Amino acid sequence: MADVLPLVEARLRTALGEPDARAAVTFLGTDRIEVLRFQEGDIVRYATLGMSAQPMSDPTAVLADPVKGPRAELILSVRSGLADTDKVLRPLAVLAASPQVEGVIVAPGASLDVGEPLWPGAPFTSVLVAEPGGLVDDLELDEPADPVLFLPLLPMTPNEAAWKRVHGAQALQERWLTNGTDLRDPARASVPLE
């Protein structure tokens, strides 16, 4: 099967334009993960490139299938100029490497925690993985490979993450919607959870 990463990068460029910066991170025992930055007006988007090189596999499987299995890349969108969000590159690469390092399958509704602020002074240490298809269309691959999904990440405060564990992702997203929460605000406060 052809290398999927050039196809993934082409899909990102088609949907988001030309990246104005890119950085690469390599963790011991993993493939290289790049993070591309796209600027569009007052919104900056960070997209991983490398997570989809291998399909994610069930951690209980004896052997990982080299072709079949879910594939994804992560996209984080925030308002620019309000915080030093470019420091999110390493935490994003850590999240993108988690399927290789920890054997997890990243899917919509999941919480991913980096254990530290996503960028200096950020009120968020984790993200909610949202449904794909809104910003970047899925990338179909040749059979029998699964398509590459482009999963939006929604930053969560520790209180929101704890509330989500009890009530679920859908309930938290409804709470954000009801309160008109600006999920792209890099300095926003936690949504009211009473």
Side-chain angles (χ1 to χ4, degrees):
M1 187 174 135
D3 184 6
V4 302
L5 295 185
L7 303 174
V8 170
E9 184 169 354
R11 177 58 54 94
L12 286 169
R13 287 172 184 266
T14 298
L16 304 176
E18 285 299 309
D20 66 354
R22 66 192 307 147
V25 180
T26 305
F27 302 100
L28 189 61
T30 67
D31 297 328
R32 186 170 93 149
I33 303 286
E34 288 189 84
V35 179
L36 282 57
R37 184 181 71 189
F38 300 88
Q39 187 80 40
E40 182 184 330
D42 70 337
I43 301 295
V44 62
R45 301 185 201 287
Y46 302 94
T48 63
L49 180 63
M51 183 177 169
S52 62
Q54 304 293 327
M56 294 180 269
S57 58
D58 183 340
T60 62
V62 177
L63 287 174
D65 190 312
V67 178
K68 293 179 74 174
R71 294 176 190 256
E73 295 291 352
L74 308 174
I75 300 177
L76 174 69
S77 301
V78 291
R79 295 204 182 286
S80 61
L82 303 175
D84 189 9
T85 56
D86 280 352
K87 297 283 196 289
V88 78
L89 300 179
R90 186 167 179 76
L92 265 183
V94 167
L95 296 178
S98 62
Q100 289 182 59
V101 175
E102 299 170 23
V104 297
I105 294 179
V106 176
S111 299
L112 303 175
D113 196 319
V114 293
E116 60 186 34
L118 292 176
W119 52 82
F124 319 106
T125 59
S126 62
V127 293
L128 174 65
V129 181
E131 292 292 331
L135 191 59
V136 181
D137 291 334
D138 300 348
L139 174 63
E140 296 294 332
L141 300 175
D142 294 336
E143 290 289 336
D146 292 17
V148 176
L149 306 180
F150 297 89
L151 301 171
L153 300 179
L154 308 175
M156 292 188 293
T157 66
N159 285 346
E160 290 170 340
W163 197 85
K164 182 250 175 198
R165 279 192 294 278
V166 174
H167 300 281
Q170 186 64 39
L172 179 58
Q173 288 179 304
E174 287 170 9
R175 179 71 49 127
W176 281 334
L177 193 58
T178 302
N179 285 274
T181 305
D182 180 2
L183 296 173
R184 294 176 178 167
D185 181 349
R188 74 171 178 83
S190 182
V191 71
L193 297 170
E194 276 73 47

